Amino acid sequence: MLCSLAFGAVSPAFAGNGTGVRTADPLTWPVPTPAEAAARQRAGDAFTADLVAVLLARPEPRLQLAAAVLMTSLPDRQAEAQTLFARIRRDSDDPVVLHVAANKCPFDAATCDADGAIDALRARDPRDAEAIFLALDRAKRQGDSAAFDPLLDALAGAEFRHGHLLAAYRWWSEVFGLMGDDPRLPMIGGSLAVDARPLTPEIAIGVAALGRAWAVPFVGRGALREGCAAALADPARSGRRSTCRAVAARLREQGPTRGDQIVGYRLGWAMASDDAERARLELDWRRREWQARAADIDTVPPAQHPGGLAGWRASTARYFALLHQQPTESAAMAIHRAEVGAPSEPPPDYRPTYTLAEHAVRAATQR
């Protein structure tokens, strides 16, 4: 659900087919006309401007940071946003500020000082997994192969503390929550808000927050996969294989989001020492995917939910609440699955959408 709703907030499939023709099915999202889309954009900009005003009146540095980031979406506030971020960024040791500066910073490159922010994050918290991924991404971009093994070793004992998707989601939810009683709030739900029946504030806040969080790229995972793949192709680098397996296991077990866990499964299968280990991973993958599908996460769009839009809203609002309370998406999913009475084990005839072996073949053909 975390992945599908985040992408749904910006997906062209939700935004309309470009014809301005409304859909007939009352359980699908109506397609906005161009005039409606333009009106919604104006209303969204007005809401953003008002939220910026609320944030600027607050002294907390993270709320000031949110104001600066939000202003980058308003054409007439670019210079103001730049000045504000420069003041916040100067000598800041706040990990949220540093992660914004290090990861596709929306401000002037010199002010962001991404390399300096990455170094500061690593010095501040050497076990912050997302900071290590940022360093891995930098090493890949700069062609610094010597940096890979020390960073890989650090990942094997890392913890997700700052900068990852759930952390960004919680931060943005707090930001948007400052206007949680605003009657225009559903407008910030983007294209999901075209339904004539307004989204609940919880879902609108959540979708808007996820949209902001997804704007932060999922960095470093490609560099991890490539570096570990090199250990399979180059005998001189074979020593890193066991560490790659350890990192894959850590991502499966402690990755805060399903995206991290999927990376862990795929990497673990690629680095497995024998067929027995691959078979164990396939079984566990099959079970994990079933658990998500059985709880209607990622698989049942609003139009097909058994409870209709009202049931989808209630289920989604509950899941967003669990994402705030739990340390990982898996923990939230487990509670959600238990609440809806979904079994944890798949039936004998269940087959996942794809096996890890099938994904490996597809990935190899696309290289």
Side-chain angles (χ1 to χ4, degrees):
M1 183 176 289
L2 179 60
C3 295
S4 64
L5 286 177
F7 282 119
V10 296
S11 168
F14 281 90
N17 58 16
T19 66
V21 177
R22 291 177 176 274
T23 56
D25 185 346
L27 289 183
T28 59
W29 302 110
V31 177
T33 66
E36 289 171 334
R40 188 161 56 250
Q41 179 65 50
R42 290 192 297 271
D45 287 348
F47 182 92
T48 298
D50 288 349
L51 179 55
V52 165
V54 170
L55 294 168
L56 289 176
R58 300 283 292 261
E60 298 94 322
R62 290 186 180 181
L63 297 184
Q64 293 278 306
L65 173 65
V69 173
L70 286 168
M71 278 192 287
T72 63
S73 68
L74 301 173
D76 60 341
R77 307 290 291 273
Q78 302 296 307
E80 184 182 355
Q82 183 71 238
T83 300
L84 177 57
F85 180 73
R87 178 178 61 78
I88 297 168
R89 174 74 175 90
R90 191 178 302 116
D91 301 323
S92 178
D93 188 45
D94 186 328
V96 172
V97 174
L98 293 174
H99 272 288
V100 169
N103 198 351
K104 299 296 182 183
C105 182
F107 305 97
D108 177 78
T111 303
C112 293
D113 183 18
D115 285 338
I118 292 172
D119 293 338
L121 284 166
R122 296 282 289 122
R124 186 185 188 282
D125 190 349
R127 297 188 66 199
D128 180 3
E130 210 61 42
I132 299 171
F133 274 121
L134 282 166
L136 265 181
D137 181 68
R138 177 175 63 180
K140 177 185 175 181
R141 287 185 282 105
Q142 296 178 349
D144 184 5
S145 58
F148 182 85
D149 286 302
L151 291 169
L152 179 67
D153 291 339
L155 268 180
E159 295 181 359
F160 284 88
R161 294 174 177 168
H162 307 289
H164 59 80
L165 181 61
L166 284 186
Y169 161 65
R170 292 185 181 110
W171 175 46
W172 279 113
S173 289
E174 292 170 6
V175 169
F176 285 112
L178 292 175
M179 296 184 73
D181 59 349
D182 192 295
R184 301 168 300 164
L185 186 64
M187 294 304 302
I188 68 172
S191 57
L192 286 179
V194 301
D195 181 16
R197 293 153 292 186
L199 299 177
T200 63
E202 294 84 358
I203 299 177
I205 290 172
V207 172
L210 282 172
R212 296 290 177 181
W214 272 111
V216 179
F218 198 50
V219 299
R221 279 66 173 181
L224 171 65
R225 290 190 297 267
E226 290 180 18
C228 288
L232 297 174
D234 185 354
R237 298 176 177 175
S238 61
R240 70 172 59 154
R241 294 179 188 176
S242 61
T243 309
C244 287
R245 286 196 292 272
V247 170
R250 198 165 189 85
L251 288 172
R252 291 193 301 274
E253 296 162 5
Q254 297 188 21
T257 69
R258 291 179 64 205
D260 286 300
Q261 293 159 16
I262 289 171
V263 171
Y265 276 104
R266 293 174 178 174
L267 180 62
W269 194 92
M271 303 303 300
S273 57
D274 53 38
D275 288 342
E277 185 177 353
R278 291 189 182 92
R280 287 194 296 272
L281 285 169
E282 290 282 19
L283 284 173
D284 195 27
W285 168 253
R286 176 176 175 269
R287 181 182 304 109
R288 294 286 185 96
E289 194 196 64
W290 159 260
Q291 291 173 352
R293 293 173 68 87
D296 290 345
I297 297 172
D298 277 352
T299 59
V300 179
Q304 298 174 15
H305 194 282
L309 286 172
W312 178 84
R313 288 193 180 96
S315 177
T316 304
R318 173 57 178 158
Y319 193 66
F320 274 127
L322 290 170
L323 287 174
H324 271 282
Q325 299 164 7
Q326 301 303 314
T328 66
E329 190 179 5
S330 288
M333 188 189 302
I335 296 173
H336 184 76
R337 190 176 64 250
E339 289 179 348
V340 300
S344 60
E345 293 296 325
D349 60 348
Y350 175 72
R351 191 184 187 284
T353 305
Y354 62 86
T355 67
L356 297 173
E358 289 168 345
H359 175 268
V361 171
R362 286 202 302 269
T365 59
Q366 293 170 359
R367 291 193 186 103

